[in-house]
Amino acid sequence: MPAPSPQTPVWEPDHFPAKARKSDQRSIKPSSANDTAGAANRRGVRGDLAGAATSFSAYPLERETAKEKRVSLLTFRIGRPRVTVVIPTLHGGESLQRTLAALEMQTFRELETVIVDNSGTGVARGMPAAKVIENPVNVGFGEAINQGAATSRSEYVACLNDDARPHPGWLQALVEALDAAPDAGSAASRILLAGRDDRLDSAGLLLYPDGTAKQRGHGRPAADYAKPGEALIASGCAALYRRSMLDQIGGFDGDYFLYCEDTDVSLRGWLAGWRGVYEPRAMVEHDYSASSGRASKLKAFYVERNRLWTVLKTFPALLLPLVPFATLWRYWAHWRALRRGEGLAGELESSGISAPQLVIIVGSAHWKTLLQLGALWRKRRQARRNARLGASAFWRLIRRERVSAREIAVQ
């Protein structure tokens, strides 16, 4: 099935990399020439990673022998690792090094780490204790997760931002949560704002009826979210997914490129009958929007375009006529916030992005969506074929886990 490629809007910086063709992707490289475990992995995964976005084809890893002297702290195997931790990175540097150092401290040891380098310049070369996939250009977040997942057949796949630092018990808590809930396909972390451990970035995500997702509890005391429960959407900043769910629904949609991939994959999981859970013991510190910025033209475009894609792919037909009305109400809330200099719209204006420019960005997102209606319709048919959740149950679910237009506008 042909998939749409995200096109760079006319207002984006010329240097922003376009999405790579899968045939251009480079093979996995060990982090150093002396890493014999990495070399063994390279022999098992050499070659093209084409098709990773829709199928996690097995790339068998050769098991380490008794003669191998160096066993990575992050790749402790009993037969094979239960968890593959995938870290997409664009800048590498100290932030990525701190993330890897935090993974070395994990109490859960049956894991392997895969860094997907989207820089095109090899910023992740030489990183210790991890396999590295180098892409010649930026292929986006979701495609990077698919590439990392395709290198193994572990039971679980974790995604982790390169600006997130998990606490030592993070992965152990997430694995225990999914082990205890065989009908759950994803587990959300309690993500804290870096430098403000008492304040929350997110405890999963909530959903507005037009497909816009927002962090649950953002900015509130972390202690208010200390009870486990269900999560409609696990934030892709730090989440654990059951591989069997990803295999069933086709993994992440690599065509999203940036933002909302976690919303899409979680909703498709719910539609296919997989619950999501929230595990407050799984704590992570996050430098919120450190990579792309909290307020930018880039973010405004992709968030708006991708929420439209998510609606068209996952919302039941009976709910689609309600979406434009919910969207107009949200736009009104943003306009009021802009007039008061509040929220994301206020930040965009203070960064030099005018109201007319915002209108152009939103219009561009809708136009790009119209151009991809054929491909989106095919993806919708696939999602509906897997559906086990009816329209009324889906509506009850998003009403239970919804966020208001005003909360979105002022947050």
Side-chain angles (χ1 to χ4, degrees), residues 335-392:
W335 175 252
R336 294 182 63 187
L338 178 63
R339 295 285 298 272
R340 296 190 297 267
E342 296 177 344
L344 188 58
E347 290 186 28
L348 285 167
E349 186 179 47
S350 64
S351 66
I353 304 171
S354 65
Q357 285 178 307
L358 283 175
V359 172
I360 293 173
I361 291 170
V362 170
S364 177
H366 282 75
W367 175 246
K368 298 296 184 183
T369 298
L370 285 173
L371 294 178
Q372 298 297 338
L373 280 181
L376 291 169
W377 173 250
R378 290 189 291 272
K379 292 181 180 183
R380 176 182 176 83
R381 290 179 61 189
Q382 179 62 41
R384 300 311 301 176
R385 276 197 292 267
N386 287 325
R388 301 291 182 270
L389 201 67
S392 59

Side-chain angles (χ1 to χ4, degrees), residues 89-111:
T89 189
L90 192 60
H91 304 295
E94 293 183 5
S95 179
L96 177 59
Q97 291 173 3
R98 288 195 296 268
T99 299
L100 291 173
L103 282 177
E104 289 185 4
M105 302 301 293
Q106 291 298 297
T107 57
F108 185 85
R109 302 310 308 155
E110 298 175 64
L111 72 148

Side-chain angles (χ1 to χ4, degrees), residues 187-367:
S189 305
R190 178 159 53 159
I191 303 174
L192 311 173
L193 291 170
R196 302 175 62 192
D197 290 356
D198 61 328
R199 295 290 164 178
L200 197 68
D201 178 7
S202 72
L205 304 180
L206 302 174
L207 193 69
Y208 184 66
D210 75 343
T212 302
K214 204 68 176 175
Q215 301 101 310
R216 183 168 77 109
H218 183 75
R220 296 188 59 181
D224 292 351
Y225 295 84
K227 293 183 179 180
E230 285 193 335
L232 175 63
I233 302 163
S235 170
C237 167
L240 186 68
Y241 298 94
R242 194 181 300 275
R243 182 181 291 273
S244 54
M245 182 197 79
L246 294 176
D247 286 343
Q248 180 182 348
I249 67 175
F252 282 78
D253 188 339
D255 293 316
Y256 275 51
F257 189 66
L258 191 65
Y259 298 115
C260 306
E261 304 96 336
D262 47 8
T263 300
D264 170 68
V265 79
S266 290
L267 291 183
R268 285 189 287 122
W270 278 94
L271 281 175
W274 296 96
R275 293 192 305 122
V277 297
Y278 166 64
E279 179 47 70
R281 295 177 300 149
M283 290 188 288
V284 176
E285 295 179 34
H286 181 216
D287 296 319
Y288 179 51
S289 285
S291 299
S292 58
R294 172 171 158 80
S296 67
K297 292 179 180 180
L298 180 73
K299 184 171 184 177
F301 170 79
Y302 280 114
V303 167
E304 183 67 11
R305 189 202 67 172
N306 291 349
R307 71 96 188 165
L308 289 168
W309 287 17
T310 298
V311 165
L312 292 173
K313 288 172 56 181
T314 62
F315 275 39
L318 290 175
L319 300 183
L320 291 179
L322 302 177
V323 171
F325 298 100
T327 299
L328 288 174
W329 185 249
R330 179 174 60 84
Y331 288 165
W332 173 247
H334 277 300
W335 175 252
R336 294 182 63 187
L338 178 63
R339 295 285 298 272
R340 296 190 297 267
E342 296 177 344
L344 188 58
E347 290 186 28
L348 285 167
E349 186 179 47
S350 64
S351 66
I353 304 171
S354 65
Q357 285 178 307
L358 283 175
V359 172
I360 293 173
I361 291 170
V362 170
S364 177
H366 282 75
W367 175 246

